[in-house]
Short mmCIF file of all heavy atoms in Angstrom, two decimals:
data_model
loop_
_atom_site.label_atom_id
_atom_site.label_comp_id
_atom_site.label_asym_id
_atom_site.label_seq_id
_atom_site.Cartn_x
_atom_site.Cartn_y
_atom_site.Cartn_z
N ARG I 27 80.05 100.24 87.13
CA ARG I 27 79.63 100.31 88.53
C ARG I 27 79.12 98.96 89.01
O ARG I 27 79.21 98.64 90.19
CB ARG I 27 78.60 101.41 88.73
CG ARG I 27 79.23 102.77 88.62
CD ARG I 27 78.24 103.85 88.96
NE ARG I 27 78.88 105.14 88.86
CZ ARG I 27 79.48 105.76 89.85
NH1 ARG I 27 79.57 105.19 91.02
NH2 ARG I 27 80.02 106.94 89.68
N GLY I 28 78.58 98.16 88.10
CA GLY I 28 78.17 96.81 88.48
C GLY I 28 79.36 95.99 88.92
O GLY I 28 79.26 95.13 89.79
N LYS I 29 80.51 96.26 88.32
CA LYS I 29 81.73 95.54 88.69
C LYS I 29 82.21 95.94 90.08
O LYS I 29 82.98 95.23 90.70
CB LYS I 29 82.82 95.82 87.67
CG LYS I 29 82.48 95.24 86.30
CD LYS I 29 83.52 95.61 85.28
CE LYS I 29 83.10 95.03 83.94
NZ LYS I 29 83.65 95.67 82.81
N LEU I 30 81.75 97.10 90.54
CA LEU I 30 82.17 97.55 91.86
C LEU I 30 81.60 96.68 92.98
O LEU I 30 82.15 96.63 94.05
CB LEU I 30 81.74 99.01 92.09
CG LEU I 30 82.50 100.04 91.27
CD1 LEU I 30 81.85 101.40 91.43
CD2 LEU I 30 83.95 100.10 91.68
N ARG I 31 80.50 95.98 92.71
CA ARG I 31 79.89 95.18 93.77
C ARG I 31 80.90 94.21 94.36
O ARG I 31 81.09 94.17 95.56
CB ARG I 31 78.69 94.41 93.26
CG ARG I 31 78.12 93.53 94.36
CD ARG I 31 77.02 92.64 93.83
NE ARG I 31 76.46 91.90 94.91
CZ ARG I 31 76.87 90.70 95.29
NH1 ARG I 31 77.84 90.10 94.66
NH2 ARG I 31 76.30 90.08 96.29
N THR I 32 81.53 93.46 93.53
CA THR I 32 82.47 92.47 94.04
C THR I 32 83.70 93.13 94.63
O THR I 32 84.18 92.74 95.68
CB THR I 32 82.88 91.49 92.92
OG1 THR I 32 81.70 90.94 92.38
CG2 THR I 32 83.76 90.40 93.46
N SER I 33 84.22 94.14 93.94
CA SER I 33 85.44 94.76 94.45
C SER I 33 85.18 95.58 95.70
O SER I 33 86.08 95.76 96.50
CB SER I 33 86.11 95.61 93.37
OG SER I 33 85.24 96.59 92.90
N CYS I 34 83.96 96.04 95.88
CA CYS I 34 83.62 96.78 97.09
C CYS I 34 83.13 95.86 98.19
O CYS I 34 82.81 96.31 99.26
CB CYS I 34 82.53 97.81 96.81
SG CYS I 34 83.08 99.26 95.94
N SER I 35 83.03 94.58 97.90
CA SER I 35 82.39 93.69 98.85
C SER I 35 83.10 93.68 100.20
O SER I 35 82.49 93.30 101.19
CB SER I 35 82.30 92.28 98.29
OG SER I 35 83.58 91.74 98.10
N TRP I 36 84.32 94.11 100.28
CA TRP I 36 85.00 94.20 101.55
C TRP I 36 84.69 95.52 102.25
O TRP I 36 85.10 95.75 103.36
CB TRP I 36 86.51 94.03 101.37
CG TRP I 36 87.08 94.89 100.30
CD1 TRP I 36 87.22 94.57 98.99
CD2 TRP I 36 87.54 96.23 100.42
NE1 TRP I 36 87.75 95.63 98.28
CE2 TRP I 36 87.95 96.66 99.15
CE3 TRP I 36 87.64 97.11 101.49
CZ2 TRP I 36 88.46 97.93 98.92
CZ3 TRP I 36 88.15 98.37 101.25
CH2 TRP I 36 88.55 98.76 99.98
N ASN I 37 83.94 96.40 101.59
CA ASN I 37 83.59 97.69 102.18
C ASN I 37 82.16 98.05 101.79
O ASN I 37 81.92 98.63 100.74
CB ASN I 37 84.58 98.76 101.70
CG ASN I 37 84.36 100.10 102.39
OD1 ASN I 37 83.27 100.41 102.84
ND2 ASN I 37 85.41 100.88 102.44
N ALA I 38 81.22 97.69 102.65
CA ALA I 38 79.81 97.90 102.34
C ALA I 38 79.47 99.37 102.20
O ALA I 38 78.61 99.75 101.41
CB ALA I 38 78.94 97.24 103.41
N MET I 39 80.14 100.23 102.96
CA MET I 39 79.87 101.67 102.86
C MET I 39 80.26 102.18 101.48
O MET I 39 79.51 102.95 100.86
CB MET I 39 80.64 102.43 103.96
CG MET I 39 80.29 103.90 104.00
SD MET I 39 78.56 104.24 104.34
CE MET I 39 78.48 103.84 106.07
N ALA I 40 81.40 101.75 100.98
CA ALA I 40 81.82 102.15 99.63
C ALA I 40 80.84 101.62 98.59
O ALA I 40 80.48 102.32 97.64
CB ALA I 40 83.24 101.66 99.34
N ALA I 41 80.39 100.39 98.77
CA ALA I 41 79.42 99.81 97.84
C ALA I 41 78.14 100.61 97.86
O ALA I 41 77.56 100.89 96.81
CB ALA I 41 79.16 98.35 98.20
N SER I 42 77.69 101.00 99.04
CA SER I 42 76.46 101.80 99.14
C SER I 42 76.60 103.11 98.37
O SER I 42 75.69 103.48 97.61
CB SER I 42 76.15 102.13 100.61
OG SER I 42 75.77 100.98 101.30
N ARG I 43 77.72 103.77 98.55
CA ARG I 43 77.93 105.05 97.84
C ARG I 43 77.95 104.83 96.33
O ARG I 43 77.38 105.61 95.57
CB ARG I 43 79.23 105.70 98.31
CG ARG I 43 79.11 106.36 99.67
CD ARG I 43 80.31 107.24 99.98
NE ARG I 43 81.57 106.52 99.89
CZ ARG I 43 82.17 105.94 100.92
NH1 ARG I 43 81.61 105.95 102.11
NH2 ARG I 43 83.32 105.32 100.77
N CYS I 44 78.60 103.76 95.90
CA CYS I 44 78.67 103.47 94.46
C CYS I 44 77.29 103.27 93.87
O CYS I 44 76.95 103.85 92.83
CB CYS I 44 79.51 102.21 94.22
SG CYS I 44 81.25 102.39 94.54
N PHE I 45 76.46 102.49 94.54
CA PHE I 45 75.15 102.19 93.98
C PHE I 45 74.17 103.35 94.15
O PHE I 45 73.26 103.51 93.34
CB PHE I 45 74.62 100.87 94.52
CG PHE I 45 75.43 99.72 93.98
CD1 PHE I 45 76.27 99.00 94.79
CD2 PHE I 45 75.39 99.42 92.62
CE1 PHE I 45 77.05 97.98 94.27
CE2 PHE I 45 76.18 98.40 92.10
CZ PHE I 45 76.99 97.68 92.92
N GLN I 46 74.38 104.18 95.15
CA GLN I 46 73.58 105.40 95.24
C GLN I 46 73.87 106.29 94.04
O GLN I 46 72.96 106.88 93.46
CB GLN I 46 73.87 106.14 96.55
CG GLN I 46 73.25 105.47 97.75
CD GLN I 46 73.72 106.07 99.06
OE1 GLN I 46 74.67 106.83 99.13
NE2 GLN I 46 73.05 105.69 100.14
N ARG I 47 75.13 106.36 93.66
CA ARG I 47 75.51 107.17 92.50
C ARG I 47 74.92 106.58 91.21
O ARG I 47 74.45 107.31 90.34
CB ARG I 47 77.03 107.27 92.39
CG ARG I 47 77.52 108.10 91.24
CD ARG I 47 77.18 109.57 91.42
NE ARG I 47 77.69 110.29 90.27
CZ ARG I 47 77.01 111.18 89.58
NH1 ARG I 47 75.79 111.50 89.94
NH2 ARG I 47 77.54 111.77 88.55
N VAL I 48 74.93 105.26 91.09
CA VAL I 48 74.32 104.63 89.92
C VAL I 48 72.85 105.03 89.84
O VAL I 48 72.35 105.39 88.77
CB VAL I 48 74.43 103.09 89.99
CG1 VAL I 48 73.58 102.44 88.91
CG2 VAL I 48 75.87 102.65 89.85
N LEU I 49 72.17 105.01 90.98
CA LEU I 49 70.74 105.35 90.99
C LEU I 49 70.50 106.82 90.69
O LEU I 49 69.46 107.18 90.14
CB LEU I 49 70.10 104.92 92.31
CG LEU I 49 70.00 103.41 92.47
CD1 LEU I 49 69.56 103.05 93.90
CD2 LEU I 49 69.06 102.80 91.45
N GLU I 50 71.46 107.68 91.03
CA GLU I 50 71.35 109.09 90.64
C GLU I 50 71.39 109.21 89.12
O GLU I 50 70.70 110.04 88.53
CB GLU I 50 72.49 109.91 91.25
CG GLU I 50 72.36 110.12 92.74
CD GLU I 50 73.61 110.76 93.32
OE1 GLU I 50 74.43 111.33 92.57
OE2 GLU I 50 73.77 110.69 94.56
N LEU I 51 72.22 108.38 88.48
CA LEU I 51 72.36 108.42 87.02
C LEU I 51 71.23 107.67 86.31
O LEU I 51 70.86 108.03 85.20
CB LEU I 51 73.71 107.82 86.61
CG LEU I 51 74.94 108.57 87.08
CD1 LEU I 51 76.19 107.74 86.83
CD2 LEU I 51 75.05 109.91 86.39
N ASP I 52 70.73 106.63 86.96
CA ASP I 52 69.70 105.79 86.33
C ASP I 52 68.81 105.25 87.45
O ASP I 52 69.03 104.16 87.96
CB ASP I 52 70.38 104.64 85.56
CG ASP I 52 69.40 103.66 84.95
OD1 ASP I 52 68.18 103.94 84.96
OD2 ASP I 52 69.85 102.61 84.47
N HIS I 53 67.79 106.02 87.82
CA HIS I 53 66.96 105.67 88.98
C HIS I 53 66.13 104.40 88.78
O HIS I 53 65.59 103.86 89.72
CB HIS I 53 66.06 106.84 89.38
CG HIS I 53 64.97 107.14 88.38
ND1 HIS I 53 65.21 107.86 87.23
CD2 HIS I 53 63.67 106.81 88.36
CE1 HIS I 53 64.09 107.96 86.54
NE2 HIS I 53 63.13 107.33 87.20
N LYS I 54 66.05 103.90 87.55
CA LYS I 54 65.28 102.69 87.28
C LYS I 54 66.16 101.44 87.24
O LYS I 54 65.66 100.36 86.94
CB LYS I 54 64.55 102.82 85.94
CG LYS I 54 63.47 103.88 85.96
CD LYS I 54 62.76 103.96 84.65
CE LYS I 54 61.70 105.05 84.68
NZ LYS I 54 61.00 105.15 83.41
N ASN I 55 67.43 101.58 87.55
CA ASN I 55 68.36 100.45 87.50
C ASN I 55 68.04 99.48 88.64
O ASN I 55 68.41 99.70 89.79
CB ASN I 55 69.80 100.97 87.60
CG ASN I 55 70.82 99.88 87.39
OD1 ASN I 55 70.66 98.77 87.85
ND2 ASN I 55 71.89 100.23 86.70
N THR I 56 67.35 98.39 88.29
CA THR I 56 66.92 97.44 89.31
C THR I 56 68.09 96.69 89.95
O THR I 56 68.03 96.35 91.13
CB THR I 56 65.90 96.43 88.74
OG1 THR I 56 66.49 95.77 87.61
CG2 THR I 56 64.61 97.12 88.33
#
């Protein structure tokens, strides 16, 4: 999911969803 940052960089909404999901799995992921 960290790799999604760059590949999602053309779509901030997709990036937001990706990182929200990461935080659901690991809420302490800074």
